[in-house]
Amino acid sequence: MGPMLESSEQSNSSKPIGIKFFECIKKSTLSYKTYQAIVLIVTFLAYANYHATRKTTSIVKSALDPQSSDLGLKFYPHRRPYFHKPLQNQTSPGLLGSGWAPFNGSDGTALLGELDVAFLSVYALGMYFSGQLGDRMDLRIFLTVGMVGTGVFTSLFGLGYWGNIHVFYYYLIVQMLAGLFQSTGWPSVVAVVGNWFGKKKRGLIMGIWNAHTSVGNITGSLVASALLNYGWGWSMVVPGMMIAFMGMVVFLLLPVSPESVGANGDEDNDLSSKKSGEGAMEEPLLRPETQTKETAVGFIEAWKIPGVAPFALCLFFAKLVAYTFLYWLPFYISHTAINGKYLSSEAAGNLSTLFDVGGVVGGILAGHISDRLDARAITAASFMYCTIPALFLYRIYGSVSLPVNIGLLLISGMFVNGPYALITTAVSADLGTHSSLKGNSRALATVTAIIDGTGSIGAAIGPLLTGYISEKSWNAVFTMLMAAALIAGLLLTRLVVAEVAAKIDRSRSQGGVRSSGLDV
């Protein structure tokens, strides 16, 4: 009784304040399923806010560097500058049309590309350290600090508008620090979800949950686009305040693991078994044994887990494609004629959200297919190969008309974001609980950080190259993206062959059993 009572008191003391408040009102402890619902909702909203703040810079680009639209004059000398006329006076400093030094010069596009690569390089580097820290710290505190820090530095970027700051290195340093705090998000939310949810239908569940990426992108695009009319600073400050507020919600509500709040899934399992007459519910992804003290898996040891390296390298090229769209799609749309007309920056930002709508469908579809086939590599590689014709068609025919652009944008988003979502969620969870770890629960954040951190290096390189290449030709940019998609698929070849061989062996063994049964 003594140790059990002590354990109960310890878990109660570590409960978030918001959980204690709910239990005080309810006058009873929350059920395991209620905790799971809280975890899904809070982590979904948390990472949606991470992506909303990440998306704002792509919307603000066209306000900071509108002069680069002159590139389009080479091909459309009599173009109309706006499909939808902006509401503001174009001569007002900081609003659309006048640009913002130092980004409105001849090298403005390249400077914006350098901001992207600075942000994403620090983000990728920080991801490796965040995974190690996440496996050793209270994830609720770690995530809260990351979200508040992200909000502070995103807002500081926007404050350059009111402070009339035109020093490039101010924006560079602020973006780098924002990238550092952004790196705390993904390893933390995946590890928390992994602590609470089981392996059954993992691809589908995480595919649906991973819609937070696209929801965040859409929210960031819509909020930033709407606020551009009042000055580009608002497009940064408001999302920054949103994620800081959500960080406090995480601190108040997020239960990191069943052990941290004294939750017991066995009680819910018994109830469901009695009602349905079936066996116990699925086990959580990670259920550490209380008898043995586990140690966090080392960085090199995590790289040696079978499958980590191929999927990490695949994600390098998959995120190169995805993040080029994340950071440059609104800019590309606003500087490319659609049916002979050019969209305003606000309209281009709104249209770009359809890419993320397709991404939601792609993430869910990839997760569901991989569950049904029990083949993560085959699914991811197939989507990457389908990305190539999708991008080709969008570049060639996206300018024909707005409906055609919308349709091809949805298809491109589905194929680009499908494997990206699958690898960063279900695949990371699979590998973070690999049989070679012998049940060690202290590896999920590290494995997730390695895979997504490696992918984030590609995410940094894609937008950087786009900043330079787009000044010469957008055809070259799309050629680069199609080549990256091809390499991403090829990197999974060995795993695809292994999955196909396993399926052939399984079908042969099943066929042998059936034939022997007929002989009898």
Side-chain angles (χ1 to χ4, degrees):
M1 282 295 288
M4 290 179 63
L5 183 60
E6 184 179 343
S7 175
S8 178
E9 290 175 352
Q10 184 178 358
S11 63
N12 188 59
S13 64
S14 64
K15 286 183 179 180
I17 298 173
I19 297 296
K20 292 180 181 179
F21 176 73
F22 285 139
E23 290 184 341
C24 181
I25 294 176
K26 190 180 178 182
K27 295 182 180 179
S28 64
T29 58
L30 300 180
S31 67
Y32 195 84
K33 288 184 177 179
T34 302
Y35 277 121
Q36 287 181 314
I38 291 172
V39 167
L40 271 185
I41 294 170
V42 172
T43 54
F44 184 97
L45 294 175
Y47 208 70
N49 273 272
Y50 271 106
H51 260 266
T53 55
R54 211 174 294 175
K55 181 67 174 179
T56 53
T57 53
S58 69
I59 303 299
V60 168
K61 276 178 182 176
S62 54
L64 299 177
D65 179 28
Q67 301 303 322
S68 61
S69 60
D70 292 342
L71 294 171
L73 294 174
K74 297 176 183 178
F75 305 99
Y76 300 93
H78 304 295
R79 71 179 194 141
R80 280 186 279 175
Y82 290 95
F83 194 171
H84 302 287
K85 286 285 185 182
L87 301 176
Q88 74 285 345
N89 184 345
Q90 292 188 15
T91 61
S92 302
L95 296 181
L96 296 178
S98 62
W100 189 267
F103 304 106
N104 58 352
S106 59
D107 60 345
T109 305
L111 289 177
L112 290 171
E114 289 175 14
L115 285 186
D116 291 341
V117 76
F119 173 90
L120 291 167
S121 296
V122 175
Y123 174 79
L125 184 63
M127 185 77 73
Y128 292 118
F129 293 102
S130 294
Q132 291 285 296
L133 287 172
D135 281 331
R136 291 167 171 81
M137 286 181 60
D138 184 336
L139 287 171
R140 179 168 59 94
I141 304 298
F142 189 57
L143 196 54
T144 299
V145 171
M147 296 180 75
V148 173
T150 298
V152 168
F153 287 103
T154 302
S155 298
L156 282 175
F157 191 103
L159 288 176
Y161 168 70
W162 291 282
N164 201 29
I165 299 173
H166 298 279
V167 180
F168 172 71
Y169 288 102
Y170 169 81
Y171 298 102
L172 182 69
I173 292 171
V174 167
Q175 278 291 82
M176 290 172 71
L177 291 172
L180 181 63
F181 281 98
Q182 281 261 0
S183 68
T184 61
W186 190 241
S188 301
V189 295
V190 172
V192 171
V193 172
N195 286 336
W196 284 95
F197 289 89
K199 297 181 179 180
K200 187 178 180 182
K201 294 185 179 179
R202 182 187 295 171
L204 177 60
I205 291 172
M206 286 196 152
I208 296 172
W209 174 74
N210 194 63
H212 52 48
T213 298
S214 297
V215 169
N217 290 340
I218 293 169
T219 303
S221 296
L222 295 177
V223 171
S225 297
L227 293 173
L228 273 180
N229 288 327
Y230 304 98
W232 64 262
W234 289 110
S235 297
M236 302 297 293
V237 170
V238 171
M241 293 171 65
M242 288 167 57
I243 192 172
F245 172 77
M246 191 62 210
M248 299 312 300
V249 173
V250 166
F251 178 77
L252 294 173
L253 287 177
L254 185 64
V256 172
S257 66
E259 293 76 23
S260 68
V261 292
N264 185 4
D266 294 335
E267 295 176 4
D268 284 0
N269 291 351
D270 293 340
L271 288 173
S272 65
S273 297
K274 290 177 182 178
K275 289 179 181 179
S276 64
E278 297 176 357
M281 284 171 57
E282 60 203 82
E283 291 293 318
L285 292 182
L286 305 173
R287 179 161 293 189
E289 297 180 11
T290 55
Q291 302 298 325
T292 59
K293 186 177 180 181
E294 296 175 341
T295 57
V297 172
F299 183 77
I300 302 300
E301 185 181 351
W303 266 105
K304 294 178 180 178
I305 297 172
V308 167
F311 274 113
L313 294 174
C314 172
L315 191 62
F316 175 96
F317 291 98
K319 286 192 77 169
L320 185 153
V321 178
Y323 269 65
T324 297
F325 273 89
L326 175 68
Y327 280 93
W328 286 100
L329 182 58
F331 186 90
Y332 169 75
I333 292 173
S334 66
H335 295 84
T336 303
I338 299 176
N339 194 22
K341 302 174 183 178
Y342 282 75
L343 301 180
S344 68
S345 297
E346 181 181 355
N350 291 336
L351 179 60
S352 70
T353 61
L354 295 176
F355 179 84
D356 294 295
V357 173
V360 173
V361 177
I364 295 172
L365 191 61
H368 178 63
I369 292 173
S370 69
D371 279 341
R372 292 293 298 269
L373 298 179
D374 190 23
R376 308 290 195 210
I378 292 174
T379 305
S382 299
F383 269 70
M384 291 311 307
Y385 292 137
C386 290
T387 296
I388 299 171
L391 295 182
F392 178 79
L393 291 173
Y394 181 69
R395 174 55 185 163
I396 300 301
Y397 298 105
S399 59
V400 171
S401 67
L402 195 59
V404 172
N405 189 289
I406 290 171
L408 292 175
L409 202 56
L410 289 167
I411 295 170
S412 298
M414 181 179 70
F415 286 122
V416 169
N417 284 342
Y420 163 39
L422 180 65
I423 294 171
T424 53
T425 53
V427 170
S428 294
D430 287 346
L431 298 175
T433 55
H434 195 270
S435 58
S436 64
L437 295 170
K438 298 177 181 178
N440 190 341
S441 65
R442 302 289 298 278
L444 187 49
T446 299
V447 170
T448 301
I450 286 174
I451 292 175
D452 203 44
T454 304
S456 296
I457 297 174
I461 293 174
L464 174 68
L465 293 176
T466 301
Y468 291 102
I469 298 173
S470 62
E471 291 185 335
K472 297 178 175 61
S473 169
W474 278 105
N475 285 334
V477 171
F478 275 82
T479 300
M480 174 190 74
L481 298 179
M482 289 186 285
L486 176 62
I487 296 171
L490 292 175
L491 283 168
L492 296 180
T493 300
R494 187 167 61 87
L495 296 178
V496 169
V497 171
E499 287 182 350
V500 171
K503 288 188 172 299
I504 292 174
D505 290 340
R506 194 180 307 154
S507 63
R508 284 176 178 173
S509 62
Q510 289 175 349
V513 170
R514 288 171 184 167
S515 62
S516 62
L518 290 173
D519 293 338
V520 172

